Amino acid sequence: MFPFNFEWIWDAGHLVFMGGLWYALTILGLGLTYCIIKAAYDSFKGQGADHH
Amino acid sequence: MDSALIPKGVKRCPTWQFLLWIGAVSGVLLWGVLAMILVYFKGLNQTNMNNAYGFALWIWADLAIIALGGGAFFTGFLRYIVGKDELKNIVNFAVLVGFYCYVSALMILGFDIGQPLRGWFIFWHANVHSMLTEVAFCLSAYLGVLAIEYLPLILENRQIDKVPFFHNMSHNMHEIMAVFAATGAFLSFFHQGSLGGVPGVLFARPFGFREGVFVWPWTFFLFTWSAAACGPCFTILITKITETAARKKLVKDNVIELLAKISGWMLATYITAKIIDTIYWAVVTAPSKGFNFLDFYSNNSGSWYGLWILIAEIGLCGIVPAAILITDKGRKTPATLWLAVILAVVGVCLNRWVMVLQVLAIPVLSFQSWNLYFPSWQEVATTLLPVALGIISISISYRYLPIFPQELELNPPDSPPAEQVAEEPAEASEGEMEPAEA
């Protein structure tokens, strides 16, 4: 649910629930995006990680 | 036949033997698929759920599986946030077990909601006053976290790792794994808790109802606590079962003992809190709602819900495993370690059964009688379906992925295969499998 949906209400319940969900999803999305972009960059540059 | 996919230097059973094992477990899987098709096409009339049992075997299985899958978040928390470095040797397997636990839980929820095509309604038309909405949010998001934690393991497969992009991707994911682990711990804390909050807020069901702090009943905290205590026990149990099946040691004793020790102290503190909660509920909360303690444990046919269940949950499956795991001798003796982890796993499953099904069985009005329930074969088969799927997936992962970083050290090859030596002489001389730290 987003704030532009008709059932959205600006109250604490919606802010906490939906805010928490989008906060977590944003962290995961940004983290994964960083990994993908850096992997593509490193591969393009020919740099490889030697170990994990 | 598939040796090119198997991690370097480790031994696996012949392909025919592996396929035979997968085929045997697939029998259970197919039985579950048949029941699943019946449930999807004919509806929830295939179950023995009724007006008294809107929550039944599936919800119990969900809660139990989620508690057992708690080993992933708690081990990840200890490894990445607390900094228990030794646990890097078991955290891969904890993630693997946790991932399939959560896949199973969501699969069972898919059966239970009756209209799976409308499953997305809970996200789009969320009821923000419901504990279950919070559970759905965190459960789905945490499955995403586990998938992210599992992905580097897949990318470390011997063949996939040869592709530079995947190799770098896996490396990068390890680098920031603490961020994912912290997010996972945050999500787990809330959904484990909210699952406990569901019976705790049932004002009209005095067996489940508890007082608490702000909007959270005490069961909220007890569920999170018990998952953190018993989840690692399940990880140890599955590790031991895998070692038995593979007939070799996969994790060093000091790693298992550390996890068992932490789990033991978590269990000891949890069971202390649970005893205090039970006494307060029996003496104060239930009487304030017009019930005596023994009303909840008597006058039901066959004594399905006698006092034995409370004694089994708290005494046999709570105090006993905690007492074993907090002692050095108890953890170091294989027989008592096995006993303790099995009892802890049974205990948390029993707790979830009590908090889901006994709550619904007990009459709350004077003219009502006990509601007893027995699941239909379709419910049993669909509950075993994800278990079979988990066994198959873990077997495949163990065969093809570097799940156990200490495996090669604990089981050094007698003589490396000639083709491997010829292929990569420098790496073969190292004699150690590259550790995966996710």
Side-chain angles (χ1 to χ4, degrees), chain B residues 209-388:
Chain B
F209 180 74
R210 295 290 191 283
E211 291 162 44
V213 53
F214 297 119
V215 296
W216 300 293
W218 298 126
T219 46
F220 180 100
F221 304 100
L222 289 174
F223 265 50
T224 304
W225 208 335
S226 58
C230 300
C233 287
F234 187 63
T235 305
I236 295 172
L237 179 62
I238 301 296
T239 306
K240 290 285 172 192
I241 290 172
T242 308
E243 285 182 338
T244 307
R247 279 173 284 180
K248 61 180 162 183
K249 208 154 185 55
L250 299 168
V251 181
K252 285 183 181 174
D253 286 339
N254 69 315
V255 178
I256 295 284
E257 281 164 23
L258 174 66
L259 195 58
K261 184 180 180 180
I262 294 170
S263 191
W265 281 107
M266 288 295 291
L267 194 55
T269 49
Y270 159 72
I271 213 68
T272 306
K274 174 75 183 168
I275 289 168
I276 295 168
D277 170 73
T278 304
I279 291 171
Y280 184 82
W281 161 78
V283 174
V284 179
T285 312
S288 73
K289 307 291 175 201
F291 283 82
N292 291 318
F293 172 65
L294 283 177
D295 291 342
F296 301 118
Y297 297 100
S298 53
N299 297 324
N300 59 87
S301 65
S303 291
W304 271 93
Y305 294 114
L307 263 179
W308 69 269
I309 204 164
L310 184 67
I311 295 166
E313 182 201 335
I314 294 180
L316 183 63
C317 300
I319 296 171
V320 173
I324 292 172
L325 293 177
I326 59 174
T327 58
D328 200 43
K329 195 179 174 188
R331 290 191 300 273
K332 284 189 185 335
T333 310
T336 50
L337 180 66
W338 270 93
L339 178 70
V341 292
I342 290 172
L343 285 178
V345 166
V346 171
V348 78
C349 294
L350 200 55
N351 172 262
R352 282 6 180 207
W353 181 278
V354 164
M355 297 308 282
V356 173
L357 290 168
Q358 192 173 350
V359 166
L360 300 178
I362 294 166
V364 288
L365 298 171
S366 57
F367 53 84
Q368 289 180 322
S369 53
W370 282 74
N371 299 301
L372 295 180
Y373 151 87
F374 197 82
S376 67
W377 74 264
Q378 291 93 331
E379 286 175 272
V380 174
T382 44
T383 303
L384 290 178
L385 160 64
V387 176

Side-chain angles (χ1 to χ4, degrees), chain B residues 172-190:
Chain B
N172 294 336
M173 291 181 82
H174 285 303
E175 294 271 297
I176 61 162
M177 197 53 78
V179 176
F180 297 127
T183 311
F186 166 80
L187 292 167
S188 284
F189 177 83
F190 281 100

Side-chain angles (χ1 to χ4, degrees), chain B residues 69-78 102 142 146 181 184-185 188-189 192 224 227-228:
Chain B
F73 98 84
F74 194 60
T75 312
F77 173 78
L78 292 170
Y102 277 77
Y142 184 55
L146 285 171
S188 284
F189 177 83
Q192 298 279 3
T224 304

